[in-house]
Amino acid sequence: MQQIKKAAVLGSGVMGSGIAAHLANIGIPTLLLDIAPRELTDAEKAKGLTLEDKAVRNRISEGNRQKLLKQKPAPLTSKNNIALVEAGNFEDDMERLKDVDWIIEVVVENLAIKKQVFEKVDQSRKPGSIVSSNTSGISVEAMSEGRSEDFQKHFLGTHFFNPPRYLKLLEVIPTKNTSSEVLSFMKQFGEDVLGKGVVEAKDTPNFIANRIGTYGLLVTVQEMLKGGYSIGEVDSITGPLIGRPKSATFRTLDVVGLDTFIHVANNVYDQVDGKEKEVFEVPGFMKVMQEKGWLGSKSGQGFFLKKGKEILELNPESLEYGPRKKLKTASTELSKQEKGTPGKLKALVYSDDRAGQLLWNILSPALLYSAQLLGEIADDVTAIDKAMKWGFGWELGPFETWDAIGVGKTVQKMEDAGEEVPAWVKDMLEKGFDSFYKEKEGKQYFYHNGEYRLIEENPKAINLKQIKKQKGVIKKNTGASLIDLGDGVALLEFHSQSNSIGLDIIQMINFAVDEVEKNYKGLVIGNQGKNFCVGANLGMILMEAQDDNVYELDMVVRQFQNAMMKIKYSAKPVVAAPFGMTLGGGAEVCLPAAHIQASSETYMGLVEVGVGLIPGGSGNKELYIKHLENMPNGVEFDLQKVANKVFESIAMAKVSTSGEEARDNNFLNLADGISVNGDHLLYDAKQAVLALHKKGYKPPVRKKVPVVGETGYATLLLGAQAMLYSGYISEHDLKIAKKLAYVIAGGKVPYGTEVDEQYLLDLEREAFLSLVAEPKSQQRMQHMLLKGKPLRN
């Protein structure tokens, strides 16, 4: 049976080292190889090293390995994972390939060089090991020519998108000789272990996402030039307004790098003919930009240039920079009032103003192109849609977009304009099928060869919308819903604005725990929003504070604390499933849970000091207890050091940059889980509930908590006072620090006193309420609500 316990990456550049980092993140030891240098650097000469020294021979791969620790966004989910990446070189270490199960080639995009590398790999690998190329467009078939039969059987393309840790798409490209077992193993491994969205692509230029994405970008540039639009105007229309990333068109090109983009475009240009070839010809002004070195973010300027705080846009005719423009028309204003991307798109594409014309003229060719390529680049519409969503961050793939704006209506409009619509689309309409997708009895179907076929989903990819349609909802209010996940497990879903916590969510937490204790095996707290939860409802807190409703606020905070204790001491296991932003109250909901099943991309922290407060819903107490529980049994430890660490974490508003780092910061313990594939998070959380139930789950026993008391409080304040004297923090920061230190120290008791949890909760609530009443804290809250960033006052 195929297994991947160890891997090797050949080529240690940005992409190769990024793939090695991703493998290390999931616990796979990886050998990272590159060429051995031909000459010494001045620093190496000064050390008396020679070309035979290992440090010199591994210099390139080791240098790129070290860069993983400094790159932003971070390729590693924890800096500790670097230990799983080992540097080597092609001359000394090829024989070590016999010890690995997967060899990934990431060398320069040149067929001759790749073939040379694979010849050496074929001689060194063990039979049965998988070999793949991360090429973004060279023929996978051509690379494997002349290789042994076992090599060819185990060879395929695995095209990661950059950066590998963050971008979901993995295109898997089999050759005619790839064994079906290897293909199916890699697709499952890619999804379940690598955490990717896997799409099977055909061996054609640039595969799926880059082929359609590059076409769409070039059509947009050409339409901009033809219609006399500015770069800023195009970006104001082609971003979130139509369900695309904030970087829209030209900001995306600046991030990708113009040189990379031109290379990808030329790759298709060289291999196609006719009208398609014309589209892939890079416009002249972009070639001039490349000659000038205006490549985008990496060179400091591209389509945009930052001058001080102002962002300027390039004029493609004069190649001079000027103020950034936005396109504002009747249809853009109308679309902003629509809810959801389909409504916004309809408001734009059927309008005849400048924005509507631009959007129709770039959308229509992209839809037709996707339909023309069906069968050539992928077998069905779902593969193309998924590739564009996972690789380019589109909210709707091309065929989903077509459904959203109406297939029949758009085909008529296209034909009226003299466009040629692919026969299979017209055939679909003639047969009475008016959309590429349809839903029936809560299941999704796609159109294929004259019929609708069921979309086969991985059972681990739970879809809450579908479950609610199939099973309904146990109970809901404005902030949350309780849903039956099946197998005796319920799920509490937050759906308030930004999933912020107010009284409605607190009420549903209480109802959910009661209902689960009576009728279910356990509860998952999770959702499929943009983020898990960004904290308490700050607007509500500020409004009550400004109205001097201290009694009202005291009641809300008490209720929140009681709900957290209810989660902690529930007779049935409660599993929290955080992902994305899990801040303030969001973290407080997770900390008392019986188990946390975090996503690999979980950004967790108690950040209340940023708005002039401290956590008020049990976060200080629970993080402190979590630190204590992570101390080894029977080993004496310094209680003050634990208090210092918790104080620092909350006072500095530290937020983890991954689930792994949340564990390093003690928000997760060793028994808590991390899901690499975010789509599998709720499934994994459900399995955790069932496992705890099967073991005969018993809630924790209430215990007293040792605190550092008065002497510890004084120690905690020393650092904060030093920061005030050095000018790092303000007087108000010190006031917040004093309140926080008092809560974590456990108030005016002797060092080592064991106190009750309720006593700590009362301290926490009193400190929170006193800070809410402070005018400077209210200024901070208001600033955060208006500007979305902290105020230093």
Side-chain angles (χ1 to χ4, degrees), residues 708-726:
V708 291
E710 278 188 284
T711 54
Y713 169 67
T715 306
L716 289 175
L717 274 192
L718 279 175
Q721 279 162 335
M723 286 177 86
L724 176 74
Y725 301 142
S726 312

Side-chain angles (χ1 to χ4, degrees), residues 412-451:
Q412 188 62 58
K413 193 173 175 180
M414 288 163 177
E415 293 197 314
D416 288 348
E419 296 293 345
E420 194 180 325
V421 177
W424 73 268
V425 177
K426 293 203 289 191
D427 183 56
M428 177 181 97
L429 291 169
E430 280 161 19
K431 284 183 172 148
F433 301 120
D434 60 359
S435 64
F436 298 104
Y437 293 93
K438 77 166 191 171
E439 197 176 303
K440 194 176 160 191
E441 294 166 0
K443 292 188 173 174
Q444 293 278 353
Y445 295 81
F446 68 97
Y447 178 80
H448 191 74
N449 290 345
E451 61 177 0

Side-chain angles (χ1 to χ4, degrees), residues 323-348:
R324 188 162 52 159
K325 300 187 194 84
K326 282 187 179 176
L327 192 54
K328 203 173 175 183
T329 68
S331 68
T332 62
E333 295 314 294
L334 185 67
S335 74
K336 283 173 188 168
Q337 289 161 28
E338 292 285 342
K339 274 194 173 177
T341 300
K344 291 181 195 297
L345 280 166
K346 271 185 196 160
L348 285 158

Side-chain angles (χ1 to χ4, degrees), residues 163 172 355 366 433 561:
V172 173
F433 301 120
Q561 289 183 342

Side-chain angles (χ1 to χ4, degrees), residues 253-302:
L253 288 171
D254 273 352
V255 171
V256 167
L258 188 57
D259 50 346
T260 304
F261 175 75
I262 288 176
H263 170 80
V264 172
N266 286 342
N267 190 45
V268 183
Y269 179 81
D270 293 339
Q271 297 181 65
V272 296
D273 304 303
K275 270 179 80 175
E276 188 178 3
K277 196 177 188 78
E278 285 170 31
V279 174
F280 280 94
E281 179 158 11
V282 175
F285 85 96
M286 289 167 78
K287 292 176 184 171
V288 175
M289 285 174 70
Q290 187 181 21
E291 285 161 20
K292 286 177 176 282
W294 298 356
L295 306 177
S297 305
K298 59 184 166 192
S299 64
Q301 72 184 94

Side-chain angles (χ1 to χ4, degrees), residues 593-596 626 629-630 662-663 666-673:
H595 180 89
I596 298 174
K626 202 99 167 166
E629 286 173 348
N630 282 343
R663 200 195 307 277
N666 280 323
F667 279 82
L668 272 62
N669 59 32
L670 286 172
D672 290 329

Side-chain angles (χ1 to χ4, degrees), residues 584-617:
E588 287 181 302
V589 167
C590 298
L591 286 167
H595 180 89
I596 298 174
Q597 184 68 36
S599 163
S600 187
E601 298 305 324
T602 300
Y603 315 121
M604 189 184 257
L606 295 166
V607 296
E608 286 83 351
V609 294
V611 288
L613 305 172
I614 68 163

Side-chain angles (χ1 to χ4, degrees), residues 46 81 143 255 318 332 502 507 599 639 652 736 756:
N81 296 343
M143 284 184 225
V255 171
S318 66
T332 62
Q507 284 164 3
S599 163
L639 199 57
M652 307 289 282
I736 298 165
D756 188 70

